[in-house]
Amino acid sequence: MNGLIIKVPYVSLWDGGVEITTSAKLNLKTGALTDIETVDPADRVQVCEREYIILNDDQIDTLWDENHGYWVQLHNGQVGPCTENYAAHREAMADLSIADVVKITDYVAVLSQFLNDGNEVLDDMDSILAPFEVVINTLRTPETCRHQDCGCYLYKSDLPQYDYVCPECDENF
């Protein structure tokens, strides 16, 4: 756990330009800020206009509420700091790609063809595959793979530097 907590510069901006930099500890999994170093600015400042940390040369605004204390938003769409379990969930799911989802869904569909129509395994298959099909339909594009004679539909890429991924070739474009 200690490797997930780092020391970061904590900056407060006062009275239209007075900048005070101290330090804080940031939990990289949850976004929680602790051990914020404070200084007595004496009488030279009145109104704090902004507080932020510096992480990888980026300024990330700090947030505060009575339930969570000080924190920063590290996860897209995350409101409030996340729990350790949620962070572990996000980390585990990060390695699951759209190519994986397409491949397992296709694999299950092929395996189901070897079962008799009355087999109870088939009873729940539609409801089990439904959430995967929602993801597949959401991420599928009208573009097709540019590799040789693949011709597979391309999906929105799970890598930020690419637009598309081919689940058949497992190649990004």
Side-chain angles (χ1 to χ4, degrees), residues 10-12 14 24-27 30-38 48 50-53 61-73 80-82:
Y10 190 97
V11 181
S12 55
W14 297 79
K25 290 183 179 175
L26 169 65
N27 184 316
T30 67
L33 289 167
T34 58
D35 300 328
I36 299 171
E37 181 184 2
T38 59
C48 183
R50 180 179 178 214
E51 294 175 275
Y52 60 92
I53 64 166
D61 287 322
T62 62
L63 303 161
W64 183 89
D65 66 53
E66 58 189 55
N67 295 325
H68 301 105
Y70 284 93
W71 55 280
V72 293
Q73 188 168 339
C82 63

Side-chain angles (χ1 to χ4, degrees), residues 6 31 36 47 50-51 88 91 99 103-104 128 134 148 172:
I6 62 170
I36 299 171
V47 178
R50 180 179 178 214
E51 294 175 275
E91 187 176 316
K103 286 177 184 178
I104 192 64
I128 291 170
V134 167
Q148 301 151 359
N172 288 280

Side-chain angles (χ1 to χ4, degrees), residues 59-156:
Q59 295 179 1
I60 303 173
D61 287 322
T62 62
L63 303 161
W64 183 89
D65 66 53
E66 58 189 55
N67 295 325
H68 301 105
Y70 284 93
W71 55 280
V72 293
Q73 188 168 339
L74 295 176
H75 305 285
N76 268 342
Q78 172 67 25
V79 177
C82 63
T83 66
E84 291 287 331
N85 285 342
Y86 177 77
H89 165 82
R90 297 272 303 188
E91 187 176 316
M93 296 299 288
D95 290 333
L96 185 63
S97 71
I98 184 61
D100 296 329
V101 172
V102 170
K103 286 177 184 178
I104 192 64
T105 305
D106 289 347
Y107 188 74
V108 168
V110 167
L111 285 178
S112 70
Q113 294 173 0
F114 293 101
L115 300 174
N116 295 329
D117 286 340
N119 192 308
E120 64 187 43
V121 171
L122 296 175
D123 290 347
D124 297 322
M125 187 171 354
D126 288 341
S127 62
I128 291 170
L129 290 179
F132 296 102
E133 290 170 353
V134 167
V135 171
I136 289 170
N137 291 334
T138 301
L139 297 178
R140 190 169 122 178
T141 72
E143 302 291 321
T144 56
C145 183
R146 301 168 191 125
H147 263 187
Q148 301 151 359
D149 295 326
C150 178
C152 184
Y153 281 107
L154 295 179
Y155 293 81
K156 296 173 185 171

